[in-house]
Amino acid sequence: MKITANPSSLGTVVSVRGSVVDIRFEAHLPPIYSLLYAKKWEIVIEVLAQLDAHRVRGIALTPTQGLARGMSVEDSGGPLKAPVGKGILSRMFDVFGNAIDRQAAPTDVQWRTVHRAPPPLARRSTQSEVFETGIKVIDVLVPLERGGKAGLFGGAGVGKTVLLTEMIHNMVGHHEGVSLFCGIGERCREGEELYREMKEAGVLPHMVMVFGQMSEPPGTRFRAVNAALTMAEYFRDDERRDVLLLIDNIFRFIQAGSEVSGLMGQMPSRLGYQPTMGTELSRLEERIANTDAGAITSIQAVYVPADDFTDPAAVHTFSHLSASIVLSRKRASEGLYPAIDPLQSSSKMATPGIVGERHYGLAQEIRRTLAQYAELKDIIAMLGLEQLSPEDRNVVARARRLERFLTQPFFTTEQFTGLKGKIVSLKDALDGCERILSDEFKDYPESALYMIGTVDEAKRKAKSKPQPNPQSEVEDAAADTHES
């Protein structure tokens, strides 16, 4: 991206310390967030502090190799800008708005600053609507809000990116909107795979991708999500369309901010995080809103360091969310995918006034059954399943069947599992849970309910397979509990 520079606004590099550059200007001091260019526009620097009447301190958004004291620097006269318009659909961009999908730069685009203010309260919508995903465990137990923010919390390797990719597939296919994927600190392999999968699935014409890659300087990773939000705001405000904004991973945004803060010489806060973390995250999250024009619904993957949910990054992110989806390593190890922990996950939408009395009552009954099973696991581990009362044994049977029914084969994992992906409507998911809770499937093997779509598939699956000895399931339950 090239901006016509003001020839009179020239400065000189005073010092270079890694990505931090100090520049002296004699005539005109650039405002905060101004972009400066050095070495024939190869090196881009963003002003973050004015040190005195003549010096500014900036963070380089590109590698600083070859930059030296005494070099000339140009003030571009404006902040970092992102391209917006219909021409950006189906394309992949870096933080500067350059196309990185080996195609020609898009034409018919406008450039807008990435530092935009959140919509005023007067323009925000106060109506609460549920956003269906087609994934049973989310729609039944952790319903998402249209225009809200949902967090996917989990450690490394529990399935955050797979779940995000599946949601893109389901949303683009069933909602007349635009999906925007923002990869912060992503591996280049993940970006390439996502692009190829979206192209094969036929959803690329309704998608835009923005990447701040892992190998890029912290300043670039820190601004990637601002660029993606500017594009999302265009589709919401100008095109009046609903937007699904997927961020992978918001922890890396906080991490990049921490690096920038450390490089700028700010005193670190608790556990080494930047003292401005709350402000930076709020400035970003408040732009994601439901207005009179349309809605930006955001789903954000949140890496939890060492699976510690009291980490400041996780705690600050929790406060902004309308739904928290917690992924469990234990459930992943048991093969219960998506590995969502129904007892730790929560949603502000799960109230009778929003989802309805039947849905709310069913969700509470499912949670109660799973919680009772969790409490009984210790007794089963010590004394065995046979020592439980008949009523408790029924609770265990229902809970285990519910756990298996809430698994689901994904479209994005078909090549690995060999199972055809399924989208399940909220009505079918609720009907299935209700029928399991009423013991309609107590004589069916648990395996018949594993990795299916609607509950009727369990009957077809059970007919096509020989029935196992019921006692073997009791032993399986005890063995699973011993392992956990």
Side-chain angles (χ1 to χ4, degrees):
M1 180 189 74
K2 299 260 177 166
I3 302 169
T4 308
N6 182 350
S8 64
S9 300
L10 292 175
T12 308
V13 174
V14 177
S15 70
V16 183
R17 296 185 307 283
S19 293
V20 176
V21 185
D22 288 1
I23 302 120
R24 183 177 179 83
F25 286 86
E26 295 298 338
H28 157 81
L29 202 65
I32 301 292
Y33 297 146
S34 294
L35 277 199
L36 313 177
Y37 292 95
K39 215 181 165 197
K40 296 182 181 174
W41 297 66
E42 285 178 22
I43 296 171
V44 186
I45 301 157
E46 185 178 62
V47 175
L48 289 186
Q50 295 181 340
L51 302 178
D52 54 38
H54 292 286
R55 287 186 310 141
V56 295
R57 179 167 291 169
I59 193 91
L61 304 185
T62 53
T64 52
Q65 283 92 336
L67 193 63
R69 278 186 289 183
M71 277 192 175
S72 182
V73 175
E74 272 183 284
D75 176 13
S76 69
L80 180 66
K81 294 187 178 181
V84 297
K86 290 183 179 175
I88 66 172
L89 285 170
S90 81
R91 304 300 302 274
M92 190 192 285
F93 298 96
D94 66 10
V95 74
F96 303 108
N98 301 318
I100 53 172
D101 51 8
R102 289 184 286 194
Q103 296 180 44
T107 54
D108 189 29
V109 294
Q110 304 170 322
W111 292 84
R112 290 186 185 170
T113 174
V114 302
H115 304 283
R116 293 166 63 86
L121 280 172
R123 282 198 55 213
R124 296 191 181 223
S125 170
T126 55
Q127 193 176 1
S128 293
E129 295 176 54
V130 172
F131 190 76
E132 275 193 46
T133 63
I135 297 169
K136 289 181 284 193
V137 66
I138 292 177
D139 289 344
V140 171
L141 295 174
V142 202
L144 304 186
E145 180 184 8
R146 178 181 173 268
K149 297 177 273 283
L152 279 176
F153 291 83
V158 290
K160 295 187 296 298
T161 304
V162 169
L163 199 52
L164 279 186
T165 313
E166 183 70 8
M167 284 183 187
I168 295 173
H169 181 279
N170 293 2
M171 296 317 138
V172 175
H174 291 79
H175 291 262
E176 291 301 314
V178 177
S179 276
L180 238 142
F181 184 91
C182 177
I184 310 170
E186 284 291 276
R187 302 167 186 87
C188 55
R189 167 184 61 78
E190 290 175 335
E192 190 274 332
E193 282 175 2
L194 181 72
Y195 183 81
R196 186 162 24 88
E197 284 166 10
M198 296 300 104
K199 196 169 185 176
E200 287 169 6
V203 298
L204 204 57
H206 304 281
M207 269 195 81
V208 186
M209 298 185 201
V210 181
F211 283 97
Q213 292 177 43
M214 205 176 248
S215 58
E216 293 182 302
T220 304
R221 286 179 269 129
F222 192 50
R223 293 293 177 225
V225 69
N226 295 66
L229 257 172
T230 302
M231 296 175 185
E233 286 165 342
Y234 163 80
F235 287 111
R236 179 192 66 193
D237 300 335
D238 294 45
E239 301 263 337
R240 302 182 82 83
R241 295 170 75 174
D242 282 359
V243 183
L244 178 68
L245 174 65
L246 299 119
I247 303 171
D248 189 10
N249 173 323
I250 202 72
F251 172 77
R252 295 208 185 105
F253 164 77
I254 293 170
Q255 199 175 39
S258 179
E259 287 181 54
V260 169
S261 173
L263 287 165
M264 293 294 291
Q266 292 177 347
M267 184 72 74
S269 181
R270 185 169 160 240
L271 295 186
Y273 287 107
Q274 63 272 41
T276 52
M277 174 167 61
T279 311
E280 289 165 0
L281 196 60
S282 302
R283 197 181 291 146
L284 176 79
E285 298 282 7
E286 286 303 296
R287 288 173 66 181
I288 301 167
N290 192 355
T291 69
D292 48 15
I296 299 176
T297 304
S298 173
I299 300 168
Q300 308 167 11
V302 187
Y303 168 70
V304 181
D307 292 344
D308 175 17
F309 285 91
T310 63
D311 188 89
V315 170
H316 274 79
T317 309
F318 263 123
S319 63
H320 293 281
L321 304 174
S322 53
S324 302
I325 301 167
V326 178
L327 296 172
S328 156
R329 195 175 299 282
K330 181 177 170 298
R331 291 177 73 81
S333 67
E334 291 171 6
L336 299 173
Y337 289 104
I340 294 168
D341 188 328
L343 300 179
Q344 277 193 287
S345 304
S346 63
S347 169
K348 292 173 184 170
M349 302 296 286
T351 61
I354 296 172
V355 297
E357 292 286 349
R358 177 180 175 246
H359 183 164
Y360 177 75
L362 265 174
Q364 291 298 93
E365 183 61 28
I366 292 165
R367 285 180 192 276
R368 196 177 302 117
T369 304
L370 294 174
Q372 283 178 277
Y373 176 42
E375 286 174 8
L376 290 168
K377 279 183 176 179
D378 287 340
I379 298 170
I380 298 168
M382 287 186 287
L383 303 175
L385 199 68
E386 299 80 11
Q387 301 303 314
L388 296 180
S389 66
E391 187 183 337
D392 284 346
R393 290 181 72 160
N394 283 339
V395 167
V396 171
R398 274 185 223 120
R400 287 177 62 80
R401 279 163 178 75
L402 278 171
E403 280 184 338
R404 276 143 188 80
F405 176 63
L406 292 175
T407 61
Q408 191 166 336
F410 282 176
F411 290 94
T412 49
T413 57
E414 281 179 8
Q415 56 182 325
F416 307 114
T417 62
L419 299 170
K420 187 166 174 53
K422 300 280 167 64
I423 291 179
V424 183
S425 70
L426 176 60
K427 180 183 176 297
D428 288 340
L430 289 172
D431 285 347
C433 292
E434 193 170 42
R435 288 164 69 182
I436 291 168
L437 287 168
S438 63
D439 287 338
E440 185 181 325
F441 291 86
K442 68 176 181 180
D443 297 324
Y444 283 77
E446 291 172 1
S447 57
L449 291 153
Y450 180 66
M451 284 292 171
I452 59 170
T454 61
V455 77
D456 290 325
E457 289 178 36
K459 295 188 174 181
R460 294 196 295 271
K461 197 172 174 182
K463 282 176 187 172
S464 64
K465 286 186 178 180
Q467 296 280 348
N469 176 3
Q471 180 59 32
S472 67
E473 282 196 11
V474 172
E475 288 162 2
D476 284 350
D480 278 8
T481 309
H482 276 297
E483 285 171 16
S484 65

